[in-house]
């Protein structure tokens, strides 16, 4: 039986968002710009701006000579979804230019950039932007002498003029009814210029219910005594998805089950070394189901497991441990300790061999915010960012001394997982250029920027900020954010989320639900597979990126409620979401993951590769997985620190061949600064 609690309803209307990711571009998208009003930065006298949109390649717009930058924008009369831009240059072309969209011709979103323009006809397909105004913004002329400017014969914008506006966010949900296994919520309706067609209900970022217009829904598969956060997104017929509602926090009551599980038996060792002990036992039983086990040393809990085996890591060499195991069920009933007590003594020695995998962890710092991105500087010190406070911290791991070097401008939280996310440096050029590469949420989107670090002043020089890539749709959850340079420093890779619109992931014109690849200056590499920033697609919410010794890119992403995935990323690869989650669903034609983890044992975030082993930091699973790279497979998968340090988010290589590991224990689902209790650890690995 379950207990029921009824409460009243409250709702809060939120502001409407103005930007969403585009749906798939259609080959038949019409030319929209011909004959429309244009505005330019300058004209050379001979050739007025209107010539660029007159449909006649024999005429042209010419800018003033000898000046960069120069620009031209067209007013399409209404917001459209831009899928293609065709520019035809005269001899005075642009070597470096970008294509931007805007709702008001004041704030612009970059949807394409290049530093390798060649003139002639440049037909830019697979674009994804929304706006009334579209701009060509030139920053470097092909002909650099002072007597030459830019000369554009035709500026063609193609797209669809249908519904491009998302609904407003629904009202914050209110609780209708809660049991130990489910919650029923209601909310006030969203609005839309055409009409709302449905709602999606999320539990802590995982889809748990959908409606076709009803303003109430029930999410099941909850546990007693559990804390959950529910919010709602609205959809319209065109597939536009709103920003999320506010979050309703719900705690389920206990169930009427008061019978504890049976006692585990036959507790025995499977491996013993200087800093870890492998354990296994015969599983306990329970009338409603065993949900996990707690491992104790002399009565003090030192680990957890959700299966009938575990590896206790971070132990002290040559030390006696007195171990017992207790089972727990969904209602929190705790069984009796196993008997007899298992007495085990770790071996001597202080080294860490590959057979041991992970040998222990030492705290080097604490932080009261969410530690998201982390890099090691050439001198061995660390820079890391605070997701919710938007600060970058300089840490000396040898002494624990910390200094805030600056605040990243224009970052906005999402009351969920958005904020200041990825942090990266270029391994090939940081020693001379001092650029910090960052991915963050803004008021309009997720974006990639770079800002220079001043080593002499140990400060962030915010006046140097350059915006490299914009227009990555944002939402409360599913913002991705991990950055990783290729080992040679030529390309910057970025992981993005689907912005809680699963249709974004398979759409190669959208930057969401992707691994992106750009040049360090934000321009698009000529050999990208779709002519835009997209490198691979069909991802739900990319959290980890790492290169191995062979130069191959590995990727980690959150699953919904079935499987997390570890993928080996290939150029142009389709990784299946939303048709396929892990190996579940309609997976034909997609690249299969190299490893999957049940979401309950995973929700894994950052990854790192050291000594040909992949390390995966898991939040919900509260563990560090280690897997050996063998060809293109992952083998000998082991779990360490299960339950020892709580939720784990970020793992990065340390300069001595070991690891940095950052926890994400609490305060990581609300966007509130300085309400967390986290550690940065140095992990010894073999």
């Amino acid at each position: 039986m379950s207990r029921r609690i009824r409460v009243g309803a409250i709702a809060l209307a939120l502001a409407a968002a103005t930007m969403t990711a585009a749906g798939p571009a259609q080959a038949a998208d019409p030319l929209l710009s011909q004959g429309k009003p244009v505005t330019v930065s300058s004209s050379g006298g001979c050739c007025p701006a209107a010539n660029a949109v007159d449909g006649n390649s024999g005429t042209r717009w010419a800018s003033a000579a000898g000046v960069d930058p120069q620009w031209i924008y067209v007013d399409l009369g209404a917001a459209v979804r831009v899928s293609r831009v065709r520019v035809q240059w005269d001899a005075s072309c642009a070597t470096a230019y970008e294509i931007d969209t805007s709702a008001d011709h004041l704030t612009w979103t970059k949807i394409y950039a290049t530093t390798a323009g060649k003139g002639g006809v440049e037909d830019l397909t697979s674009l994804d932007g929304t706006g009334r105004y579209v701009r060509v913004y030139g920053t470097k002329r092909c002909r650099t002498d002072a007597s030459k400017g830019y000369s554009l014969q035709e500026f063609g914008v193609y797209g669809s003029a249908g519904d491009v506006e998302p609904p407003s966010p629904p009202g914050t949900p209110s609780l209708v009814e809660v049991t130990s296994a489910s919650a029923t919520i209601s909310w006030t309706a969203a609005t839309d210029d055409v009409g709302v067609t449905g709602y999606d209900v999320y539990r802590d970022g995982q889809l748990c219910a959908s409606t076709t217009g009803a303003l109430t829904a029930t999410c099941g598969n909850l546990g007693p005594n559990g804390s959950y956060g529910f919010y709602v997104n609205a959809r319209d017929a065109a597939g536009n998805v709103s920003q999320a509602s506010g979050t309703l926090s719900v705690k389920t009551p206990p169930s009427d089950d008061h019978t504890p599980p049976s006692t585990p038996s036959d507790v025995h060792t499977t491996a013993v070394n200087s800093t870890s002990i492998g354990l296994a036992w015969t599983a306990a039983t329970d009338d409603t189901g065993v949900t996990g086990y707690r491992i104790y040393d002399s009565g003090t809990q030192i680990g957890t497991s959700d299966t009938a085996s575990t590896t206790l890591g971070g132990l002290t060499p040559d030390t006696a441990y007195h171990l017992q195991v207790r089972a727990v069920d969904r209602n929190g009933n705790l069984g009796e300790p196993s008997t007899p007590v298992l007495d085990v003594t770790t071996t001597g020695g202080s080294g860490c061999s590959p057979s041991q995998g992970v040998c222990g962890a030492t705290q080097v710092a604490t932080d009261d915010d969410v530690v998201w991105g982390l890099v090691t500087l050439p001198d061995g010190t660390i820079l890391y960012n605070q997701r919710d406070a938007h600060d970058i911290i300089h840490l000396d791991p040898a002494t624990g001394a910390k200094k805030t070097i600056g605040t990243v401008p224009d970052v906005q939280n999402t009351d969920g997982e958005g904020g200041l996310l990825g942090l990266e440096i270029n391994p090939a050029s940081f020693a001379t250029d001092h650029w910090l590469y960052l991915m963050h949420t803004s008021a309009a989107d997720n974006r990639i920027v770079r800002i220079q670090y001043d080593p002499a002043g140990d400060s962030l020089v915010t006046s140097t900020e350059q915006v490299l890539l914009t227009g990555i749709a944002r939402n409360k959850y599913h913002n991705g954010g991990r950055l990783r340079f290729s080992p040679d420093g030529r390309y910057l890779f970025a992981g993005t989320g689907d912005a809680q619109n699963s249709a974004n992931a398979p759409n190669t014109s959208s930057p969401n639900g992707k691994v992106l690849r750009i040049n360090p200056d934000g321009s698009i590499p000529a050999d990208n597979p779709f002519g835009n920033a997209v490198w691979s697609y069909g991802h739900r919410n990319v959290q980890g990126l790492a290169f191995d010794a062979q130069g191959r890119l590995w990727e980690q992403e959150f699953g919904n409620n079935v499987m997390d995935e570890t993928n080996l990323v290939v150029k142009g690869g389709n990784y299946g979401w939303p048709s396929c989650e892990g190996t579940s669903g309609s997976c034909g034609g997609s690249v299969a993951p190299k490893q999957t983890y049940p979401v309950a044992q995973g929700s894994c975030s950052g990854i790192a590769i050291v000594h040909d082993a992949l390390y995966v930091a898991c939040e919900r699973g509260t563990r560090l997985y280690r897997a050996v790279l063998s060809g293109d497979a992952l083998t000998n998968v082991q779990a360490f620190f299960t339950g020892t340090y709580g939720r784990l988010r970020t793992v990065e290589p340390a300069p001595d061949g070991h690891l940095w590991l950052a926890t994400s224990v609490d305060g990581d689902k609300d966007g509130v600064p300085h309400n967390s209790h986290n550690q940065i650890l140095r992990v010894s690995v073999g």
Side-chain angles (χ1 to χ4, degrees):
M1 296 180 63
S2 59
R3 301 178 184 174
R4 298 177 180 268
I5 301 172
R6 287 192 170 269
V7 298
I10 57 173
L12 175 67
L14 301 178
T18 59
M19 298 287 292
T20 64
Q26 302 297 316
D29 278 350
L31 175 65
L32 304 175
S33 54
Q34 188 166 323
K36 295 296 175 67
V38 289
T39 303
V40 295
S41 53
S42 65
S43 289
C46 70
C47 311
N51 288 353
V53 293
D54 64 1
N56 179 4
S57 61
T59 62
R60 63 189 175 95
W61 160 67
S63 76
V67 179
D68 290 305
Q70 297 284 341
W71 47 260
I72 176 173
Y73 70 75
V74 58
D75 179 0
L76 301 175
V80 303
R81 181 164 284 139
V82 178
S83 60
R84 174 188 172 202
V85 171
R86 181 182 182 275
V87 289
Q88 183 172 342
W89 300 97
D90 197 3
S92 295
C93 63
T95 297
Y97 69 94
E98 62 189 54
I99 306 296
D100 306 317
T101 60
S102 175
D104 56 9
H105 68 74
L106 299 174
T107 302
W108 295 91
T109 296
K110 180 165 55 179
I111 63 173
Y112 176 82
T114 184
T115 57
K118 297 179 174 60
V121 175
E122 294 183 287
D123 199 354
L124 311 175
T125 59
S126 298
L127 300 183
D128 174 30
T130 300
R132 173 174 171 171
Y133 304 90
V134 182
R135 178 176 74 172
V136 179
Y137 187 84
T139 56
K140 184 177 180 181
R141 290 163 286 133
C142 294
R143 304 164 81 182
T144 57
D145 58 279
S147 65
K148 305 299 181 184
Y150 295 90
S151 184
L152 188 61
Q153 295 171 324
E154 284 300 307
F155 175 24
V157 178
Y158 298 77
S160 56
D163 178 17
V164 298
E165 294 297 326
S168 67
T172 300
S174 59
L175 184 62
V176 175
E177 185 176 59
V178 61
T179 75
S180 59
S182 67
T184 300
I185 64 173
S186 65
W187 57 91
T188 55
T191 59
D192 187 69
D193 57 343
V194 177
V196 174
T197 59
Y199 296 91
D200 295 318
V201 181
Y202 289 86
R203 182 197 72 234
D204 298 323
Q206 295 177 317
L207 182 67
C208 62
S210 295
T211 78
T212 56
L215 300 178
T216 185
T218 299
C219 289
N221 198 32
L222 309 183
N225 293 311
S227 296
Y228 302 92
F230 296 93
Y231 61 92
V232 186
N233 290 87
R235 292 177 277 106
D236 65 19
N240 300 305
V241 175
S242 75
Q243 292 295 295
S245 71
T247 299
L248 170 69
S249 297
V250 174
K251 183 173 178 61
T252 54
S255 74
D256 291 333
D257 171 32
H258 300 293
T259 303
S262 65
T263 303
S265 60
D266 188 27
V267 179
H268 59 279
T269 60
T270 57
V272 179
N273 57 49
S274 61
T275 58
S276 66
I277 298 172
L279 292 178
W281 54 87
T282 301
T285 59
D286 185 74
D287 55 346
T288 61
V290 173
T291 57
Y293 299 89
R294 300 174 185 176
I295 297 90
Y296 297 81
D297 170 39
S298 300
T300 300
Q301 185 177 325
I302 61 170
T304 64
S305 179
D306 38 43
T307 64
S309 64
T310 191
T311 298
L312 301 172
L315 306 181
T316 304
D318 197 21
T319 300
Y321 290 86
H322 312 286
L323 304 175
Q324 292 176 286
V325 180
R326 303 177 74 177
V328 64
D329 66 16
R330 291 178 67 89
N331 202 39
N333 298 307
L334 191 61
E336 290 297 316
S338 60
T339 55
V341 174
L342 180 65
D343 296 318
V344 185
T345 299
T346 52
T347 61
S350 58
C352 189
S353 68
S355 63
Q356 294 172 264
V358 174
C359 295
T362 303
Q363 177 182 293
V364 298
T366 62
D367 202 279
D368 65 1
D369 207 273
V370 178
V371 178
W372 218 101
L374 184 152
V375 297
T376 304
L377 299 183
D379 65 0
T381 61
I382 290 171
L383 293 180
Y384 69 87
N385 63 329
Q386 297 176 322
R387 188 193 70 183
D388 297 337
H390 315 156
D391 292 335
I392 296 181
I393 311 298
H394 192 182
L395 166 67
D396 183 348
T399 65
K402 295 191 298 182
K403 176 189 175 183
T404 300
I405 66 166
T407 301
V408 178
D410 302 321
V411 183
Q412 187 177 93
N413 297 338
T414 65
D415 299 326
E417 292 180 340
L420 183 56
L421 303 171
L423 171 64
E424 176 66 312
I425 59 176
N426 190 327
S429 62
F430 177 78
T432 55
D433 64 31
H434 304 135
W435 284 115
L436 303 182
Y437 292 79
L438 301 134
M439 183 167 172
H440 72 79
T441 310
S442 76
D445 59 8
N446 286 300
R447 54 185 53 195
I448 300 170
V449 304
R450 65 180 182 181
I451 303 174
Q452 283 186 317
Y453 166 64
D454 174 16
D458 196 17
S459 61
L460 190 66
V461 188
T462 55
S463 62
T464 65
E465 181 184 26
Q466 296 179 2
V467 179
L468 304 182
L469 187 66
T470 58
I472 306 167
R474 52 162 274 170
N475 218 305
K476 183 187 290 284
Y477 284 69
H478 300 199
N479 295 291
R482 196 68 64 183
L483 299 177
R484 188 71 67 194
F485 263 101
S486 57
D488 60 8
R490 294 180 61 193
Y491 304 110
L492 177 64
F493 290 80
T496 68
D498 66 9
Q500 301 195 240
N501 182 355
S502 60
N504 286 331
N507 174 15
T508 57
S509 295
S510 167
N512 287 90
K514 306 295 190 297
V515 172
L516 307 178
R517 178 182 182 249
I518 61 175
N519 293 317
D521 63 0
S523 60
I524 307 301
D527 60 342
N528 275 15
F530 305 106
N532 54 19
V534 174
W535 186 250
S536 65
Y537 64 104
H539 301 286
R540 180 176 178 269
N541 191 11
V542 178
Q543 292 290 295
L545 297 171
F547 280 91
D548 64 20
Q550 300 179 50
R552 302 176 302 179
L553 180 62
W554 294 80
E555 175 263 349
Q556 187 68 36
E557 67 185 83
F558 284 154
N560 182 46
N561 51 29
V562 181
M563 298 177 187
D564 285 4
E565 298 179 8
T566 305
N567 291 300
L568 182 56
V569 176
V570 296
K571 176 181 179 179
N574 173 16
Y575 289 82
W577 178 256
S579 299
C580 182
E581 181 181 349
T583 56
S584 174
S586 301
C587 300
S590 62
V591 182
K594 298 301 181 183
Q595 181 68 36
T596 61
Y597 305 100
V599 169
Q601 300 168 25
S603 292
C604 302
S605 185
I607 60 175
I609 296 175
V610 175
H611 305 319
D612 292 325
L614 175 73
Y615 295 87
V616 185
C618 300
E619 296 178 26
R620 185 175 172 186
T622 65
R623 69 198 67 188
L624 180 71
Y625 284 112
R626 178 185 188 269
V628 176
L629 275 66
S630 178
D632 62 358
L634 297 175
T635 63
N636 192 27
V637 178
Q638 298 172 281
F640 296 90
F641 304 141
T642 304
T644 304
Y645 299 107
R647 294 161 59 86
L648 306 177
R649 179 179 297 277
T650 295
V651 60
E652 293 287 344
D656 55 2
H658 296 293
L659 296 171
W660 304 123
L661 180 64
T663 69
S664 194
V665 175
D666 55 7
D668 60 357
K669 295 180 180 295
D670 56 14
V672 177
H674 304 303
N675 69 339
S676 302
H677 302 83
N678 291 316
Q679 301 179 72
I680 298 175
L681 305 164
R682 179 188 179 277
V683 179
S684 298
V685 299

